[in-house]
Amino acid sequence: MTDDILARVEGAVGRITLNRPKALHALNTAMCEAIVAALQAWRHDPAVTLVLIDHSGERGFCAGGDIRMLAESGTKDGVEARAFFFVEYRMNALLMDYEKPVCVIMDGIVMGGGVGIALPCRYRIATERTTFAMPETGIGLFPDVGGGWHLPRLPGEAGMWLALTGARIKAADCLLLGVATDYVESAKVESLKAAIVKDPAAIETLLTEYEADPGPPALAQHQDVIDAAFAAPGVEAILQALREDGSPFAIAQHDALLTKSPQTLKVAYRQLRTGKVLTLFHDNMAMEYRIGTRVVARPDFIEGVRAVIVDKDNAPRWSPDQLEGVADALLDEIFAPLPADQEWSPLP
């Protein structure tokens, strides 16, 4: 359906390759539809025993979704943005429900929509080029694609920290948090993929053979600060806890939060606290679809895209520009159920 996704079967392995390198493999609707079609075709095919997801070129696994399209749609009727979210979230849910093992090669940038593809996979392979982040608070969006489910289930409050600050972490930290299951040097990735295709049943043995040492995780020395501060009851309380801690790391996180969309910070906080207690991934995706359909049309997302992606002045003017200006009533409106015929649903 699109040249931006290469889907084929090699031996007993279904292979999906993201193939939009000039856009860092940013997802669009057609790409998500193509991934869903391939996964559906192989789901009950006994000839396919494992799915392998990777990317072409060397510039990164997936930098997220097609943000420009979402912003342009948000300034109009939002139909195109809703259609994208609907199929992307179906793809996320299909990966979560998939009966066969899925292996993803996270060699490079893994952000936004790339996180939504990677985290449901059983085998998540990082390399020295891996950079993982959910940077949506910096553009007035929110950490979607299952972020409300995956992030609060990371150790301690690391998920809340990642969601609110948009922090970027490398391979060793990905292993520490369980974001990645394995670490392989990028120079050996092609050899590993060939070995998996040759004998997919031996994947766990192969991963042990190819395993390398990413070095010490930089995040380990800051986990106590993160867990204490980001457990606070609300974004304002998190900021206060960081100020009271006073360490250089805490102050750096505090100052980073002050640059983010106040609306998005409060949306993400509620999203993760709600997602943490949900028992079904599908319920989380329905929540995120409600958020997404509303947030893309709100001023902060349009302004965030202008500042970061269009004009690139990195000086967004948030509205409201203070946390106290984000009323609970606004959050209630953003999270409220949609009319029954407009709600998200998983694949039948």
Side-chain angles (χ1 to χ4, degrees):
M1 292 188 294
T2 173
D3 292 336
D4 294 336
I5 294 293
L6 306 178
R8 69 277 191 205
V9 175
E10 297 180 359
V13 176
R15 296 201 58 181
I16 294 172
T17 299
L18 308 186
N19 189 43
R20 196 185 177 200
K22 291 183 179 179
L24 288 177
H25 310 289
L27 299 173
N28 55 38
T29 304
M31 292 170 73
C32 295
E33 290 172 342
I35 292 171
V36 166
L39 291 171
Q40 288 282 67
W42 302 330
R43 192 172 192 175
H44 302 297
D45 182 350
V48 176
T49 61
L50 179 142
V51 174
L52 177 62
I53 304 177
D54 63 2
H55 69 279
S56 63
E58 297 182 356
R59 295 191 62 214
F61 174 67
C62 177
D66 193 334
I67 298 299
R68 283 179 182 263
M69 176 277 290
L70 292 174
E72 290 171 4
S73 178
T75 61
K76 297 179 289 187
D77 56 14
V79 170
E80 194 175 1
R82 291 194 296 274
F84 172 71
F85 285 139
F86 197 89
V87 68
E88 183 184 27
Y89 294 1
R90 281 190 158 185
M91 174 188 69
N92 302 145
L94 177 58
L95 283 164
M96 281 291 291
D97 294 340
Y98 213 64
E99 296 87 352
K100 297 179 180 182
V102 183
C103 175
V104 62
I105 311 294
M106 304 191 303
D107 182 27
I109 291 171
V110 184
M111 297 183 184
V115 173
I117 292 176
L119 287 188
C121 298
R122 183 181 304 180
Y123 305 104
R124 303 179 297 279
I125 301 168
T127 75
E128 77 279 1
R129 300 192 293 205
T130 298
T131 298
F132 177 98
M134 292 293 274
E136 290 81 3
T137 54
I139 57 169
L141 198 53
F142 70 107
D144 66 333
V145 295
W149 179 272
H150 298 297
L151 295 177
R153 287 166 175 79
L154 297 181
E157 294 294 335
M160 185 65 77
W161 169 70
L162 288 167
L164 298 187
T165 65
R168 301 183 178 197
I169 59 173
K170 300 295 288 180
D173 291 328
C174 288
L175 285 174
L176 176 70
L177 298 180
V179 166
T181 59
D182 299 273
Y183 175 79
V184 175
E185 295 171 353
S186 61
K188 297 183 178 180
V189 163
E190 289 304 318
S191 175
L192 171 62
K193 288 191 285 189
I196 291 172
V197 169
K198 184 177 180 180
D199 188 3
I203 185 170
E204 295 196 6
T205 300
L206 290 169
L207 289 173
T208 299
E209 292 175 358
Y210 279 81
E211 183 180 15
D213 181 7
L219 190 60
Q221 61 185 310
H222 303 303
Q223 281 182 294
D224 289 347
V225 174
I226 289 171
D227 291 348
F230 285 83
V235 180
E236 293 94 337
I238 289 173
L239 284 165
Q240 180 179 344
L242 291 168
R243 287 193 299 270
E244 291 175 353
D245 180 280
S247 65
F249 176 81
I251 296 304
Q253 309 318 301
H254 175 276
D255 293 348
L257 291 176
L258 295 182
T259 69
K260 310 302 182 184
S261 157
Q263 170 196 282
T264 303
L265 290 174
K266 288 201 170 183
V267 166
Y269 182 90
R270 182 183 288 200
Q271 172 201 358
L272 266 63
R273 288 291 183 252
T274 302
K276 185 174 185 176
V277 299
L278 293 176
T279 57
L280 296 174
F281 184 76
H282 291 182
D283 289 342
N284 177 80
M285 299 317 297
M287 171 183 69
E288 293 188 6
Y289 185 72
R290 295 165 184 167
I291 300 169
T293 60
R294 290 164 173 135
V295 165
V296 292
R298 291 197 55 79
D300 271 12
F301 179 55
I302 309 303
E303 171 62 8
V305 172
R306 179 209 65 76
V308 176
I309 295 173
V310 179
D311 296 340
K312 298 182 180 179
D313 59 23
N314 291 307
R317 296 179 291 274
W318 305 123
S319 178
D321 61 359
Q322 300 291 326
L323 285 165
E324 53 266 30
V326 184
D328 287 343
L330 172 59
L331 297 175
D332 293 342
E333 176 186 323
I334 290 172
F335 280 77
L338 294 162
D341 61 345
Q342 297 176 27
E343 290 277 20
W344 179 84
S345 62
L347 287 160

